[in-house]
Amino acid sequence: MPMINFTNPTTVLLGVILFLLILFLGKETKRSAIIAVMLFVFIAILVGHTVEYAVIANKTQEVYYGIVRSIMFDFAFIFLSFVSYLWIDDMEAKVKKKKSIDNSLEWFWKKV
């Protein structure tokens, strides 16, 4: 089975709760580094699941399903972390009055 098994609803719920708590912490402190650490943790988990998928020789259908589903959840968490990073980074730039190269979320909010 995967090292962090996202086929278990409790694990997914725990991951979402931790994600929201870290997002709230980043929003309140207006520091994008907190969200960047979370993004790199999710990327590391994705790499771990990918290595696990490649290394396991005799995969049963259950193990295959667990790893593939965990990889799908990894990509979802990475996407959410990346959008959150852009949002918090924009907030941090406004608070510190740093010149931002571009408004990274402008393309996203125009489509919504």
Side-chain angles (χ1 to χ4, degrees):
M1 292 309 290
M3 63 179 179
I4 296 177
N5 188 2
F6 283 127
T7 58
N8 185 353
T10 307
T11 308
V12 174
L13 183 63
L14 182 64
V16 170
I17 290 171
L18 287 173
F19 171 79
L20 292 175
L21 287 174
I22 292 173
L23 179 63
F24 180 74
L25 179 66
K27 181 179 176 258
E28 291 299 314
T29 60
K30 294 182 180 39
R31 298 201 53 202
S32 60
I34 296 170
I35 306 296
V37 169
M38 181 175 60
L39 178 62
F40 287 123
V41 166
F42 283 129
I43 290 173
I45 292 171
L46 174 68
V47 168
H49 284 144
T50 306
V51 166
E52 194 171 22
Y53 179 78
V55 170
I56 294 177
N58 296 328
K59 291 185 266 297
T60 63
Q61 192 69 17
E62 181 181 340
V63 172
Y64 175 78
Y65 172 75
I67 293 174
V68 169
R69 185 167 178 199
S70 293
I71 289 173
M72 289 181 352
F73 275 104
D74 292 340
F75 279 120
F77 279 125
I78 288 170
F79 174 73
L80 291 174
S81 298
F82 181 68
V83 171
S84 300
Y85 171 76
L86 293 176
W87 179 48
I88 301 295
D89 187 52
D90 188 47
M91 289 174 54
E92 182 181 14
K94 287 178 183 174
V95 166
K96 293 184 178 180
K97 295 181 177 32
K98 294 190 312 189
K99 183 178 179 189
S100 183
I101 296 173
D102 63 348
N103 188 356
S104 300
L105 286 178
E106 191 66 32
W107 61 271
F108 183 73
W109 297 123
K110 283 184 180 179
K111 304 278 184 192
V112 173

